[in-house]
Amino acid sequence: MKKDTSKLEQHLERHPTDASGVISLLKTRSHNYEYDFNLNQKQKREKLESIHRKKIGAKNDRN
């Protein structure tokens, strides 16, 4: 699940030199990027599997 970064971003606007806040924001953005990437890969894999199942089903219908 994606994490909300709005509170961290607001905090860093008020305290731009807060190192732990910057690190937390970078970790959260990295997590969100990884989440989006993995979700995209999963969707592509499921779509490919669906296409593959349809092809196998079509071959079985012809026989």
Side-chain angles (χ1 to χ4, degrees), residues 8 12 19-32:
L8 271 172
L12 287 173
S20 63
V22 172
I23 291 169
S24 294
L25 181 63
L26 291 174
K27 284 182 179 180
T28 303
R29 285 184 178 171
S30 175
H31 172 270
N32 287 349

Side-chain angles (χ1 to χ4, degrees), residues 41-55:
Q41 292 299 103
K42 180 181 177 186
Q43 289 171 342
K44 286 179 181 179
R45 188 171 42 256
E46 288 174 350
K47 186 174 181 179
L48 184 62
E49 290 171 356
S50 173
I51 291 169
H52 183 69
R53 282 193 305 271
K54 287 179 184 177
K55 285 182 180 179

